[in-house]
Amino acid sequence: AQSVTQLDSQVPVFEEAPVELRCNYSSSVSVYLFWYVQYPNQGLQLLLKYLSGSTLVKGINGFEAEFNKSQTSFHLRKPSVHISDTAEYFCAVSDPGTASKLTFGTGTRLQVTL
Amino acid sequence: DTGVSQDPRHKITKRGQNVTFRCDPISEHNRLYWYRQTLGQGPEFLTYFQNEAQLEKSRLLSDRFSAERPKGSFSTLEIQRTEQGDSAMYLCASSLGLAPDTQYFGPGTRLTVL
């Protein structure tokens, strides 16, 4: 069985500061990894994904994430955040063998203030 | 590409009533997924379809829940004899079904059971 841990339920940060949202996963097989963002009362929007190849993945809105197999981590980073980045961020994994359901973490609320 | 759409966006019902939600996937997407998201949690997988075939169901999907995708296009999720514990956001996602697979989410249907 796969699982995802997002240790930080909330991350407050000032505008233009850098941010890192942490994600650790557990799986007995290789995985696909994803970060989704959810704005209030909306569905999930894909930020970026790791399928294979380069461990540094760049996504939309200036976000990037690095896959670290030895530490089973896939942390999300942005060098300078904006007020509009305030949202809930979810890390998720899926099994490449079945490529079916996603297993999500509990989410991290990023709160950007002036 | 108009994205995944869901209807209704909000539903308020009384305990014991039946409700039905509809999901229209991105055209030409073969796979369709249903997830449930409760407050403060990440989405949890309920079930998915490959064309019209329902290939996997979570144990979260009790006997009161039924999902269909009769012609391999739109899908419906019905909850019979609703309970207060059914209050949640119900999310639909679709994908091409070709590895590597990426799921695209709709805006969700928020159900409130009084």
Side-chain angles (χ1 to χ4, degrees):
Chain A
Q2 300 170 327
S3 66
V4 176
T5 301
Q6 293 183 248
L7 289 173
D8 305 306
S9 59
Q10 293 187 61
V11 173
V13 63
F14 290 113
E15 192 175 36
E16 298 184 3
V19 70
E20 178 179 84
L21 306 183
R22 297 182 292 169
C23 171
N24 288 88
Y25 69 92
S26 173
S27 176
S28 59
V29 297
S30 60
V31 295
Y32 289 156
L33 291 156
F34 304 81
W35 275 99
Y36 284 86
V37 60
Q38 186 176 36
Y39 298 100
N41 299 314
Q42 294 187 27
L44 282 74
Q45 179 182 6
L46 181 66
L47 271 179
L48 49 77
K49 59 187 176 184
Y50 171 78
L51 305 175
S52 65
S54 173
T55 58
L56 183 63
V57 180
K58 293 190 183 297
I60 62 171
N61 301 340
F63 284 94
E64 63 180 32
E66 185 157 18
F67 171 58
N68 188 318
K69 188 175 182 179
S70 63
Q71 297 188 2
T72 60
S73 68
F74 190 54
H75 300 333
L76 181 70
R77 303 187 188 101
K78 186 170 183 178
S80 175
V81 296
H82 189 269
I83 289 283
S84 60
D85 292 323
T86 295
E88 192 84 19
Y89 291 79
F90 293 96
C91 181
V93 300
S94 71
D95 178 356
T98 59
S100 58
K101 63 184 177 184
L102 290 168
T103 300
F104 286 87
T106 52
T108 297
R109 168 78 177 166
L110 176 63
Q111 181 69 51
V112 182
T113 55
L114 295 172
Chain B
D1 180 357
T2 58
V4 178
S5 61
Q6 292 186 245
D7 183 69
R9 293 292 307 276
H10 304 274
K11 178 70 177 179
I12 299 174
T13 190
K14 293 182 179 179
R15 189 175 53 186
Q17 297 294 305
N18 299 344
V19 295
T20 300
F21 310 139
R22 177 181 169 123
C23 171
D24 287 89
I26 295 171
S27 59
E28 299 180 354
H29 276 195
N30 297 320
R31 289 191 177 183
L32 187 148
Y33 305 79
W34 286 99
Y35 292 83
R36 183 174 70 183
Q37 184 180 20
T38 54
L39 203 60
Q41 300 297 316
E44 296 174 290
F45 171 79
L46 291 178
T47 187
Y48 92 95
F49 294 83
Q50 173 80 31
N51 298 314
E52 65 274 12
Q54 189 172 17
L55 296 187
E56 187 175 349
K57 290 194 289 187
S58 162
R59 51 194 170 84
L60 290 176
L61 212 66
S62 75
D63 292 344
R64 297 184 297 104
F65 288 70
S66 63
E68 295 182 343
R69 195 183 183 196
K71 297 183 179 179
S73 56
F74 72 92
S75 175
T76 58
L77 177 67
E78 181 184 16
I79 309 175
Q80 295 181 328
R81 305 181 303 282
T82 53
E83 302 172 355
Q84 288 185 326
D86 297 331
S87 295
M89 174 80 89
Y90 290 85
L91 294 164
C92 177
S94 70
S95 71
L96 280 170
L98 301 174
D101 207 28
T102 300
Q103 296 178 30
Y104 297 89
F105 283 79
T109 294
R110 182 168 295 284
L111 172 66
T112 302
V113 182
L114 302 175

